[in-house]
Amino acid sequence: PAASPNDFVASADYADLNSLISAFHDRTKRVPTMAELTKSFGAPLPKPPPGHQLVIDAQSKTVKLVPGN
């Protein structure tokens, strides 16, 4: 069964993505694109729950789970 949005946000992979964004920002002084984040993750990004997508919030420098594809 697919993870619920709450379970997804509580997952270790989700936390890892935010850590990678923070490290990338510290190094480059900008947030990564989704392609750069995927490359930094070293594996395909975790698949969000059905009806949701991952976006990078440049202001908070975190990954957000939002309704969408």
Side-chain angles (χ1 to χ4, degrees):
S4 73
N6 288 341
D7 289 342
F8 184 83
V9 171
S11 72
D13 283 343
Y14 189 83
D16 289 346
L17 294 176
N18 288 326
S19 295
L20 288 171
I21 291 171
S22 179
F24 187 98
H25 183 268
D26 289 347
R27 196 171 57 252
T28 66
K29 303 303 178 218
R30 65 179 181 83
V31 296
T33 64
M34 289 304 281
E36 290 167 328
L37 183 59
T38 301
K39 186 176 179 183
S40 295
F41 195 63
L45 294 182
K47 187 174 174 114
H52 292 80
Q53 65 183 355
L54 294 173
V55 297
I56 298 173
D57 181 331
Q59 187 169 4
S60 66
K61 299 175 195 72
T62 59
V63 172
K64 301 286 184 184
L65 184 65
V66 297
N69 297 351

